[in-house]
Amino acid sequence: NLRRGEVVTIVHRGERFRETPADEWSWGYKADDPRVEGWIPTLAHTLFVASRDAPSPGLGVRPLEEGDLLVAHGQRGEFVWGRVLRPGGSSEGATGWFPRSDGLLHPVSASSARALLRSAIDARCGTSADSLLAKLLRAPTSQ
């Protein structure tokens, strides 16, 4: 059992199983009790960055721009539900379904994202990077 805020060490990520081929899983253990280990959804610990522009593939799916940061909260097939921060854009971020095609989204460490936000957003928007990350990481209310 994991609770929000618990620290987990990920040993292996990106595993897919026959029963749920669209979902990715990671193997890890609790940092404060390494005897507790198991599979967790990869989305539970991953912040993504878009490596290229991706237009909306259809109704109900939002486009991505190169450099967008995506906090994903759910996945169905090749689409993820989450919030996007577009550096230099709206501080609220867009919420909705986004494409997840091969090579489009790459994992980024939260500390790297925080450094990026501090240098890009503080200077351009006058918005605190820490408060912006807190807004993005809030759980969405609907899917």
Side-chain angles (χ1 to χ4, degrees):
N1 291 336
L2 288 176
R3 292 190 180 91
R4 180 178 284 228
E6 286 188 299
V7 177
V8 176
T9 300
I10 300 300
V11 179
H12 176 73
R13 67 179 293 132
E15 189 69 36
R16 294 178 188 256
F17 297 104
R18 188 175 310 151
E19 299 81 22
T20 56
D23 297 332
E24 286 188 12
W25 294 84
S26 297
W27 182 261
Y29 59 89
K30 285 186 177 183
D32 62 350
D33 186 0
R35 296 171 296 162
V36 179
E37 58 184 39
W39 292 103
I40 63 170
T42 298
L43 293 180
H45 65 85
T46 305
L47 178 66
F48 295 100
V49 63
S51 62
R52 65 179 187 277
D53 290 350
S56 172
L59 186 63
V61 180
R62 294 179 171 272
L64 286 168
E65 292 180 9
E66 182 178 352
D68 282 352
L69 295 173
L70 174 66
V71 178
H73 296 283
Q75 179 176 331
R76 286 206 181 122
E78 290 302 312
F79 302 95
V80 291
W81 175 265
R83 289 178 183 237
V84 159
L85 167 68
R86 190 160 285 147
S90 167
S91 63
E92 285 300 312
T95 301
W97 289 103
F98 296 91
R100 187 175 181 202
S101 57
D102 289 337
L104 173 62
L105 297 173
H106 298 277
V108 128
S109 79
S111 60
S112 297
R114 183 169 278 126
L116 171 71
L117 288 172
R118 281 198 179 101
S119 63
I121 294 172
D122 288 349
R124 293 172 114 183
C125 303
T127 303
S128 163
D130 290 330
S131 67
L132 187 54
L133 273 177
K135 286 180 184 177
L136 287 171
L137 293 173
R138 284 191 314 237
T141 56
S142 64
Q143 287 188 2

